[in-house]
Amino acid sequence: MFDLYRNNYKLESSKISFTNYQIKTQKRVFMNKKSETKVKKISKESFMHILFFITACVSVLAVILICVFIFANGIPAIAKIGFKNFLFGKIWAPEQDIYGIFPMIIGSFIVTLFALLLGVPLGLTTAIFLARFCPKKLYQPLKKSVELLAGIPSVVYGFIGLTAIIPLVRSISGGSGASILSASIVLAIMILPTIASVSETSIKAVPPDYYEGSLALGACRERSILFVELPAAKSGIMAGIILGLGRAIGETMAVIMVAGNQAVLPRGLTKGIRTMTANVVLEMGYASGLHKDALIATAAVLFIFILIINLVFMIIKNRKN
């Protein structure tokens, strides 16, 4: 009898030992799988970190290479022509080795300024309407229409300006119609979707407490939007304006088709003008020697102006913050 109990006890003990062994084995397998999964996760994260780092380095390298190419070819040309003669010279005559880009500098800034004067109010009011006043049934069609404007090629805008805006300006003011005014109108339409989209996103990002608090204090809907939400969204709105400014000052094809392309100082809104970008595109195809270097130097001056504009915007934004 005692032997039977002892045998049963040994059998149960062996079963328990086997069960414990199975549990330990399963735990070990589970821990191994968990560690393998963790290692795979870490390896994927490391791979993505390396990929993102390489992408960022490529972007930075591209900017550096562009700067090196432009300034390596542009600065010697400016030094050979003369800094004062190049930037402040009023005559552009490559056949006589006279390279003064002052008319193109003034032309670029005037066209961009008038484009902003027309485009910013249109873009901002469009953003306000889409963000706060647009009925739900109309929102998607209008939003898609604004986004579609941003995707239209520059040459199409130029063709519209050539066939519609130039004849209108010609019928009102006389002359050829290819002028500062025509170029400014075309550029205003081109920068409108950029300003409208970025401004709308910024207005919608303002916490609703601002708007509701203004209404609770007795302000009407319009005053709450204009004097509460817009100041709160000014950082994003300024970013949209800067993006529009960059597109306006760097636009080429549409401006070539409607601006008149006269390398002279502006003599009125209805007179022709040539911008720096148009000057480079019009003459780069056949330029050589110092003429080609002068065109690259023109691109370098334009590049510096855009950098200065972005730097000023960043300084203003940081001071406000």
Side-chain angles (χ1 to χ4, degrees):
M1 193 69 176
F2 178 75
D3 292 337
L4 181 62
Y5 282 125
R6 187 172 59 183
N7 292 333
N8 288 337
Y9 176 76
K10 288 181 178 180
L11 181 61
E12 293 294 330
S13 299
S14 62
K15 288 181 178 180
I16 293 171
S17 300
F18 181 72
T19 303
N20 291 334
Y21 173 75
Q22 283 184 325
I23 293 172
K24 290 180 179 179
T25 303
Q26 290 177 354
K27 283 184 177 180
R28 193 178 296 110
V29 172
F30 175 75
M31 293 301 294
N32 289 334
K33 289 183 177 180
K34 189 175 180 181
S35 61
E36 289 177 1
T37 305
K38 190 174 181 180
V39 169
K40 289 182 180 179
K41 186 176 180 181
I42 293 173
S43 62
K44 288 182 179 179
E45 290 180 354
S46 301
F47 172 76
M48 294 307 297
H49 288 167
I50 295 172
L51 179 62
F52 292 147
F53 177 74
I54 293 174
T55 306
C57 290
V58 170
S59 302
V60 174
L61 182 63
V63 174
I64 293 173
L65 290 176
I66 291 172
C67 294
V68 169
F69 172 78
I70 291 177
F71 292 113
N73 292 276
I75 291 177
I78 295 175
K80 188 173 182 179
I81 297 168
F83 181 81
K84 183 178 178 181
N85 294 331
F86 183 71
L87 287 183
F88 300 103
K90 298 179 181 179
I91 299 175
W92 178 270
E95 66 279 0
Q96 301 175 17
D97 279 342
I98 300 175
Y99 305 98
I101 64 169
F102 188 70
M104 278 78 84
I105 294 175
I106 299 300
S108 297
F109 277 101
I110 288 179
V111 169
T112 303
L113 177 62
F114 280 100
L116 290 177
L117 290 176
L118 296 173
V120 170
L122 289 174
L124 191 55
T125 51
T126 302
I128 294 172
F129 178 76
L130 290 174
R132 293 293 178 254
F133 293 99
C134 185
K136 291 183 179 180
K137 293 182 179 180
L138 293 178
Y139 178 79
Q140 285 300 327
L142 290 177
K143 179 68 174 177
K144 296 299 181 183
S145 300
V146 172
E147 292 176 351
L148 181 62
L149 285 175
I152 297 175
S154 302
V155 67
V156 176
Y157 281 109
F159 181 75
I160 293 172
L162 194 64
T163 57
I165 296 175
I166 286 182
L168 178 62
V169 174
R170 185 191 302 128
S171 64
I172 294 174
S173 62
S176 64
S179 59
I180 296 173
L181 182 59
S182 300
S184 299
I185 294 173
V186 172
L187 287 178
I189 298 172
M190 294 181 68
I191 66 176
L192 187 150
T194 302
I195 297 173
S197 298
V198 177
S199 299
E200 182 202 355
T201 303
S202 302
I203 292 171
K204 285 186 173 181
V206 175
D209 296 343
Y210 286 50
Y211 177 73
E212 295 170 358
S214 178
L215 292 178
L217 291 173
C220 64
R221 186 181 183 186
E222 292 77 12
R223 290 184 66 85
S224 299
I225 293 172
L226 293 176
F227 296 101
V228 176
E229 286 194 318
L230 286 187
K234 60 185 176 183
S235 178
I237 293 173
M238 284 297 298
I241 293 173
I242 293 298
L243 289 174
L245 172 63
R247 180 170 189 186
I249 199 172
E251 180 54 44
T252 307
M253 186 56 65
V255 176
I256 288 176
M257 298 175 72
V258 298
N261 303 314
Q262 301 171 17
V264 294
L265 287 171
R267 293 171 293 175
L269 286 177
T270 58
K271 303 298 181 180
I273 200 69
R274 180 184 289 188
T275 62
M276 287 188 285
T277 53
N279 189 51
V280 173
V281 172
L282 287 172
E283 301 187 8
M284 184 59 78
Y286 61 87
S288 61
L290 184 59
H291 184 194
K292 183 177 180 179
D293 292 338
L295 293 175
I296 296 175
T298 304
V301 172
L302 179 63
F303 187 73
I304 292 173
F305 283 156
I306 293 176
L307 288 180
I308 292 174
I309 291 170
N310 290 331
L311 181 62
V312 171
F313 168 71
M314 290 176 60
I315 292 173
I316 294 173
K317 184 178 179 181
N318 291 332
R319 285 184 178 180
K320 288 181 178 180
N321 291 335

